[in-house]
Amino acid sequence: MPRTEFISTGLYVPDRVVKNDEFTQWMDTSDEWIRTRTGITERRWAAVGQTGADMACEATKLALQRAGLKAADLDCIIYCTLSPDHFFPGTGVFLQRNLGLAGIPCLDVRNQCTGFLYGLSIADGWIRSGQYKRILLVGSEVHSTGMDLTTRGRDLAVLFGDGAGVAILGPTEADGRGVLSTHLFADGHYAELLFCDAPASARHPRLSQDDIETARIFPVMNGKEVFKHASTRMPESVRLALDTNHLAASDIKILIPHQANLRISEMVRRQLDLREDQVFNNIQRYGNTTAGSIPIALDECVQGGLLGRGDLLVLAAFGSGFTWGSAAIRW
Ligand SMILES: CC(C)(COP(=O)(O)OP(=O)(O)OC[C@H]1O[C@@H](n2cnc3c(N)ncnc32)[C@H](O)[C@@H]1OP(=O)(O)O)[C@@H](O)C(=O)NCCC(=O)NCCS
């Protein structure tokens, strides 16, 4: 049975850079608070009218060009996002249309910050079974249109950014290379600890004036609980990935933890006893781009020459749901 390899990667982030200081015109916050609590100094915001599918399309064009492939070579799209362009249909079909394709299947994955790992696990199964040979795996988010930019929403508004990362995946028979394992988890007992209540079909109607006035349309979070679980679950998942493959932390060339908070990444690093150069972070420049965070970071690692053939790459994520997981990849 073949394994799944990363044929190429790509990223796109919008041009608009929003520095921490900009938030002080809308809410009671400071660059110092944001930097010391999260490590973030700036993030990108999409232009008015620029959609998640638009950003994903730019990232895909880059990945296709790097792979020497055409859009028509893709035989499946898996689109991961918590900020779909529309309530329905899924955003994958809009990306498919932007790419000038029709007919190939488009699956939307709604597993928030763990979305890219859920998508990778599905893609890996399909590729190993021979069902598809060129899967476009996307993580793309537009958070800037859905944040409460008043002091009430300051705990979340400063954390998130917009951007897209993609990977083109295919089968490899090369000895030992490719995706070695994926491990996925979820615990719905914590669903409301990082949550957006409206619009929702669970409400009558899905969206009311009251939802807007009382801010139910904005996400809410118990930051301390999220922090505690993220900094426990990610190292746990990495250890599982290593144990499953009879590997040690010292074997890791690069660990990409989901970019939620630099302090969380640092706690993950310490718990796994990794050196600083083994853990890649770029949250400083992009904030938390949710499903986009791992593929954006991965593309920067690849373009920065941090991964060579045969290196061990480990991915770990945690997010709303709660959902979490890991993947081990022999590059
Ligand atoms: C949100 C987070 C940065 C807050 O950090 P923290 O160390 O828990 O915050 P503290 O307890 O030191 O401070 C909380 C105080 O800061 C205030 N605060 C929150 N956001 C603020 C902001 N942007 N600017 C200034 N003050 C802010 C709170 O209102 C609170 O004030 P109070 O004590 O008067 O009630 C942190 O909990 C976190 O990163 N959690 C994980 C979030 C995450 O990763 N989410 C996505 C997961 S995928």
Side-chain angles (χ1 to χ4, degrees):
M1 197 185 275
R3 280 207 178 124
T4 303
E5 73 167 342
F6 283 70
I7 298 170
S8 75
T9 59
L11 77 79
Y12 176 86
V13 289
D15 292 338
R16 178 158 181 220
V17 177
V18 180
K19 295 204 177 284
N20 290 344
D21 275 336
E22 237 184 280
F23 285 88
T24 60
Q25 66 188 302
W26 304 304
M27 60 181 72
D28 181 12
T29 189
S30 67
D31 172 52
E32 201 260 337
W33 192 97
I34 300 169
R35 258 188 308 105
T36 54
R37 298 299 210 292
T38 71
I40 300 165
T41 61
E42 60 188 45
R43 76 285 293 140
R44 304 297 182 100
W45 279 5
V48 174
Q50 189 175 34
T51 67
D54 293 340
M55 296 193 303
C57 190
E58 293 305 316
T60 302
K61 285 181 192 161
L62 197 58
L64 286 168
Q65 181 201 323
R66 287 173 177 159
L69 295 171
K70 299 184 297 298
D73 295 323
L74 300 171
D75 55 12
C76 177
I77 295 174
I78 302 179
Y79 193 108
C80 314
T81 191
L82 80 52
S83 53
D85 289 356
H86 300 280
F87 201 89
F88 75 89
T91 314
V93 296
F94 292 96
L95 170 61
Q96 185 211 49
R97 194 173 67 186
N98 282 0
L99 289 167
L101 296 173
I104 64 166
C106 299
L107 172 71
D108 270 45
V109 171
R110 297 290 309 278
N111 290 90
Q112 303 73 247
C113 299
T114 319
F116 193 79
L117 292 188
Y118 270 74
L120 178 61
S121 188
I122 296 164
D124 184 37
W126 277 343
I127 286 169
R128 281 189 292 125
S129 73
Q131 187 157 351
Y132 300 112
K133 288 201 157 42
R134 293 283 178 272
I135 298 184
L136 175 66
L137 177 60
V138 178
S140 183
E141 305 283 358
V142 177
H143 284 297
S144 56
T145 52
M147 285 293 145
D148 181 356
L149 291 178
T150 68
T151 297
R152 182 181 55 193
R154 65 183 177 174
D155 57 331
L156 275 151
V158 302
L159 297 181
F160 292 91
D162 302 342
V166 306
I168 298 173
L169 305 166
T172 177
E173 301 283 352
D175 201 24
R177 287 188 53 237
V179 174
L180 306 179
S181 63
T182 58
H183 288 94
L184 306 175
F185 303 95
D187 189 343
H189 289 100
Y190 301 99
E192 283 86 5
L193 295 193
L194 182 45
F195 176 64
C196 190
D197 202 5
S201 11
R203 306 188 66 76
H204 294 268
R206 285 180 183 173
L207 182 65
S208 66
Q209 192 59 35
D210 187 54
D211 290 333
I212 296 170
E213 280 156 17
T214 57
R216 280 194 211 98
I217 56 166
F218 296 121
V220 289
M221 173 179 73
N222 181 328
K224 284 195 193 311
E225 280 299 308
V226 172
F227 194 105
K228 194 175 78 188
H229 284 263
S231 51
T232 314
R233 296 307 197 181
M234 282 201 279
E236 224 173 69
S237 313
V238 171
R239 279 192 207 102
L240 185 56
L242 293 171
D243 291 349
T244 303
N245 296 293
H246 311 291
L247 295 163
S250 56
D251 294 320
I252 297 177
K253 177 70 193 310
I254 297 287
L255 167 68
I256 301 178
H258 163 56
Q259 301 292 289
N261 183 318
L262 201 55
R263 284 159 60 215
I264 295 176
S265 291
E266 183 56 14
M267 285 180 75
V268 171
R269 183 184 77 75
R270 289 212 186 121
Q271 286 182 59
L272 293 165
D273 212 11
L274 295 171
R275 300 183 309 274
E276 282 185 14
D277 65 280
Q278 287 177 287
V279 181
F280 186 81
N281 290 299
N282 61 8
I283 190 171
Q284 301 90 328
R285 289 176 284 123
Y286 301 130
N288 179 346
T289 54
T290 309
S293 124
I294 287 179
I296 289 173
L298 177 58
D299 187 65
E300 291 199 333
C301 285
V302 174
Q303 298 312 312
L306 301 183
L307 282 168
R309 184 153 281 215
D311 283 342
L312 179 66
L313 167 69
V314 178
L315 312 174
F318 179 88
S320 161
F322 289 158
T323 55
W324 65 97
S326 65
I329 297 132
R330 183 67 70 190
W331 198 254

